Amino acid sequence: MTEQRKLMGEERRSRLLQILKGTTTAITGSELAAKTEVSRQAIVGDINLLKARNEPIIATSQGYIYLKQADALPLFEKTIACCHLPDEVESELNLIVDHGVTVKDVQIEHPVYGNLNAAIMVSNRKEVKQFMERIASTKASFLSELTYGIHLHTLSSTSREALKEVENKLKKAGFLLDA
């Protein structure tokens, strides 16, 4: 649905929340800008204002997501420590999502900046592919390249068994950091 007029301030932020709450997939800043007839930069500002009001919006490599409260099944989370080369990122992510597990983020401990955390939010191979394409098209580096491949992931699943199985598969593949 396209808007007939440019939305201003609070009305636009209210519309952004409505759009984000009404979708189950990530939506880009450019898409939100088109829907509200403002610049992408205005959307970035609006999203920051909404986040400052404790709206559970996260920015991922695929776009913005409104984190809804779990409707039915409980989610289990686990943080894992990994170490691998940049050319193994796609294999690592695919191994995880192939077990029905979501990769929520990547975290590193930088020697100057301390803990750095970036949302990934990939749950299937299509999202992994989009993430990898975005990295390639922007010529961005993986955060783990700043720490010689060492990084953490927060994983989530509706099944504890799936998390355990993923951990075992990652260990077998040589992606887990040895203790």
Side-chain angles (χ1 to χ4, degrees), residues 38-70:
V38 296
S39 69
R40 186 185 168 288
Q41 192 56 41
I43 296 300
V44 171
D46 284 344
I47 295 293
N48 283 323
L49 286 170
L50 291 168
K51 288 166 85 172
R53 296 178 192 166
N54 293 318
E55 291 292 348
I57 300 169
I58 61 166
T60 72
S61 58
Q62 292 85 35
Y64 295 106
I65 297 173
Y66 189 89
L67 294 178
K68 299 165 182 70
Q69 295 297 330

Side-chain angles (χ1 to χ4, degrees), residues 74-76 100-101 156-164:
L75 284 180
F76 301 98
V101 174
S156 71
S157 175
T158 57
S159 162
R160 283 191 177 133
E161 294 76 25
L163 290 173
K164 187 66 177 163

Side-chain angles (χ1 to χ4, degrees), residues 79-95:
T79 300
I80 57 166
C82 299
C83 185
H84 56 76
L85 299 172
D87 63 354
E88 297 173 304
V89 169
E90 188 169 9
S91 295
E92 173 206 40
L93 294 175
N94 280 331
L95 186 152

Side-chain angles (χ1 to χ4, degrees), residues 60-62 85-90 93 106 118-120 122 127-145 153:
T60 72
S61 58
Q62 292 85 35
L85 299 172
D87 63 354
E88 297 173 304
V89 169
E90 188 169 9
L93 294 175
V106 61
I120 296 179
V122 294
E127 292 171 351
V128 170
K129 184 176 185 235
Q130 290 172 337
F131 173 76
M132 296 302 294
E133 287 171 350
R134 180 106 168 128
I135 291 287
S137 71
T138 60
K139 297 184 172 122
S141 297
F142 296 106
L143 280 183
S144 60
E145 291 182 67
H153 285 303

Side-chain angles (χ1 to χ4, degrees), residues 10-40:
E10 285 304 314
E11 184 182 6
R12 184 178 61 246
R13 286 183 281 283
S14 177
R15 176 74 177 125
L16 290 173
L17 279 175
Q18 181 183 20
I19 293 167
L20 289 167
K21 288 177 179 180
T23 185
T24 57
T25 59
I27 185 165
T28 68
S30 297
E31 290 171 308
L32 291 170
K35 289 178 184 288
T36 55
E37 296 185 10
V38 296
S39 69
R40 186 185 168 288

